[in-house]
Amino acid sequence: MKDSTKRKIFRCCVIFSLTVAIILAAGWISDLKEQSEETVQMVSERTVIPGGQSVGIRMDVKGVLIVGLEEIETKKGVVSPGYDAGLQIGDMILSVNGIPVECAGDVERIVREKRNLLDLEVQRKKEILHISLNPVQCEQDGTYKLGIWVKERIAGIGTLSFYDPESGMYAALGHGIYESQTGTLLQAGKGKLLQTEVKSIREGEAGNPGEIRGIFCDDTRPLGNLKTNSQYGVYAEAENVFEVQKEPVVLASQEQVIEGPAVMLTTVYGSTVEQFDIRIDKVNRQKAAGSKGLEISVTDERLLEYCGGIVQGMSGSPIIQDNRLVGVVTHVFVNDPTRGYGIFAEFMVNEAESARNLKNSN
């Protein structure tokens, strides 16, 4: 065979080998890409059990939050030591005579023991103050008082958002519990998440939001122990687990949420969770958690006819789109009860994980 012919055959073999290698490499890269996509999908497919059941929240308030100042009748006349010393509604007493205090009882004990000039360390918004005052003896019962009212506990009704099997946490409300007069976010002390039965609903109208009226069913078997009251909801460590629907749903990222039809799970009578049609009107993408990531409107005629739309107590109702938990109802529009806001569900799941790691206050 001539050398030129041999060289041609050799070049053809080399080209063929390179072609096969390129094809195999392309297939290998394609397989890697598919495996990578499958891995990403598997990592992102976190599931939670959606709620929708009405729940009761009973919580002791951690901290000494002043919600009122009062006059005390003494032998020398009527005085208001707290007011005269410069205390204000909304102040949080952190310590008395250098002793940290976490509840009204702590303050009462120190006042009872000292009965003289006290130094109060007080937080007023972001400022730390030191205020001195003398307790006075009440003419009626002989006890020594500062002339302040302190928020000690709260109780109310909201809606369960979800149970997260991975963290073992319940989430509810979608927004925090605030002191009504001062707007202060209350710190959770001991508290329980309780099953509730809805008895009636006051219909909402423009300028006057309606509300759910219900009763706590069984406080001997609480759903969970409260861990935290954050600005993005109330979170409890599960004690008794129940499933509102048997099958969990996939948690959506905010990038997967789109404008269009969705459903809201909530309870309007008894303890039965029902599904109502809504529409996601606007998706506000957020880098940090916020309670107004979604704007929604009720389109279900049943819900509109029964209670006019969204009412107080429905905060926390899960929002499902394409069989994914995309968000949670947080607020109703004051002037339009057919519309409301929602928080992205992924933010609440992150908050639940953070709550799990907190030292249990119960």
Side-chain angles (χ1 to χ4, degrees):
M1 185 178 294
K2 295 181 179 180
D3 291 340
S4 59
T5 304
K6 290 180 179 179
R7 285 195 294 272
K8 288 181 180 178
I9 293 173
F10 178 77
R11 283 199 298 271
C12 289
C13 290
V14 170
I15 292 170
F16 175 78
S17 299
L18 289 173
T19 303
V20 170
I22 291 170
I23 291 172
L24 290 174
W28 180 66
I29 292 170
S30 176
D31 288 340
L32 282 179
K33 184 178 179 182
E34 289 177 4
Q35 291 173 9
S36 176
E37 289 175 349
E38 289 175 1
T39 301
V40 170
Q41 186 177 15
M42 287 175 65
V43 169
S44 64
E45 294 286 284
R46 182 167 182 169
T47 59
V48 295
I49 299 172
Q53 185 172 13
S54 181
V55 290
I57 299 161
R58 184 179 291 164
M59 181 181 82
D60 290 345
V61 176
K62 186 177 181 180
V64 184
L65 177 66
I66 298 175
V67 295
L69 299 167
E70 66 171 341
E71 293 182 330
I72 308 296
E73 186 175 349
T74 72
K75 292 180 179 180
K76 296 181 180 181
V78 177
V79 295
S80 179
Y83 177 82
D84 293 338
L87 290 174
Q88 296 180 11
I89 292 174
D91 286 350
M92 178 76 77
I93 302 176
L94 305 177
S95 68
V96 180
N97 288 353
I99 304 171
V101 293
E102 292 192 352
C103 63
D106 292 342
V107 178
E108 290 173 358
R109 183 175 61 257
I110 296 172
V111 170
R112 186 170 59 249
E113 292 173 354
K114 302 299 181 183
R115 299 184 182 184
N116 53 19
L117 186 66
L118 302 175
D119 176 62
L120 275 58
E121 183 185 21
V122 174
Q123 181 176 344
R124 181 175 297 164
K125 296 182 179 179
K126 296 183 178 180
E127 187 178 7
I128 301 297
L129 305 173
H130 284 271
I131 296 177
S132 298
L133 78 163
N134 274 307
V136 297
Q137 189 174 23
C138 178
E139 177 72 10
Q140 291 181 330
D141 58 18
T143 60
Y144 283 81
K145 298 182 177 181
L146 301 180
I148 61 174
W149 285 94
V150 174
K151 191 78 171 182
E152 295 188 74
R153 59 183 59 87
I154 63 98
I157 290 176
T159 299
L160 186 72
S161 303
F162 58 82
Y163 169 67
D164 180 17
E166 188 167 321
S167 64
M169 299 293 293
Y170 282 117
L173 287 186
H175 62 73
I177 301 173
Y178 293 81
E179 206 289 313
S180 58
Q181 296 183 54
T182 66
T184 303
L185 181 69
L186 299 175
Q187 296 183 54
K190 293 183 178 180
K192 302 289 184 182
L193 194 66
L194 305 168
Q195 295 188 55
T196 305
E197 186 174 326
V198 177
K199 291 298 185 181
S200 65
I201 291 183
R202 179 169 60 82
E203 185 175 348
E205 56 186 21
N208 186 19
E211 66 175 348
I212 288 177
R213 295 168 177 169
I215 59 173
F216 298 163
C217 293
D218 185 3
D219 60 3
T220 63
R221 295 188 70 254
L223 297 175
N225 297 312
L226 288 186
K227 294 279 280 187
T228 185
N229 170 41
S230 84
Q231 57 183 317
Y232 308 121
V234 172
Y235 300 87
E237 189 172 34
E239 185 173 326
N240 294 292
V241 178
F242 73 95
E243 296 183 4
V244 175
Q245 70 177 47
K246 293 182 180 179
E247 295 298 325
V249 298
V250 173
L251 173 68
S253 65
Q254 60 174 301
E255 288 74 20
Q256 295 173 309
V257 186
I258 61 173
E259 296 176 2
V263 297
M264 176 179 78
L265 303 180
T266 199
T267 302
V268 295
Y269 189 76
S271 58
T272 303
V273 177
E274 296 186 61
Q275 178 175 297
F276 297 98
D277 293 329
I278 64 170
R279 176 179 172 80
I280 298 176
D281 298 319
K282 189 175 181 180
V283 180
N284 302 310
R285 312 290 180 191
Q286 298 173 324
K287 293 183 179 179
S291 61
K292 297 181 180 180
L294 301 173
E295 294 183 24
I296 62 173
S297 57
V298 177
T299 58
D300 198 300
E301 292 297 329
R302 296 176 302 145
L303 191 59
L304 292 172
E305 183 177 350
Y306 188 68
C307 56
I310 301 168
V311 298
Q312 293 179 14
M314 288 183 182
S315 295
S317 298
I319 300 170
I320 310 293
Q321 186 181 64
D322 295 330
N323 203 36
R324 292 175 180 268
L325 178 65
V326 299
V328 166
V329 177
T330 56
H331 299 86
V332 60
F333 284 24
V334 175
N335 294 319
D336 185 358
T338 68
R339 302 180 65 203
Y341 290 109
I343 183 174
F344 291 112
E346 63 177 330
F347 291 143
M348 289 189 68
V349 170
N350 292 338
E351 197 74 13
E353 290 182 337
S354 298
R356 175 189 58 181
N357 298 324
L358 291 175
K359 182 179 179 182
N360 201 331
S361 60
N362 291 277

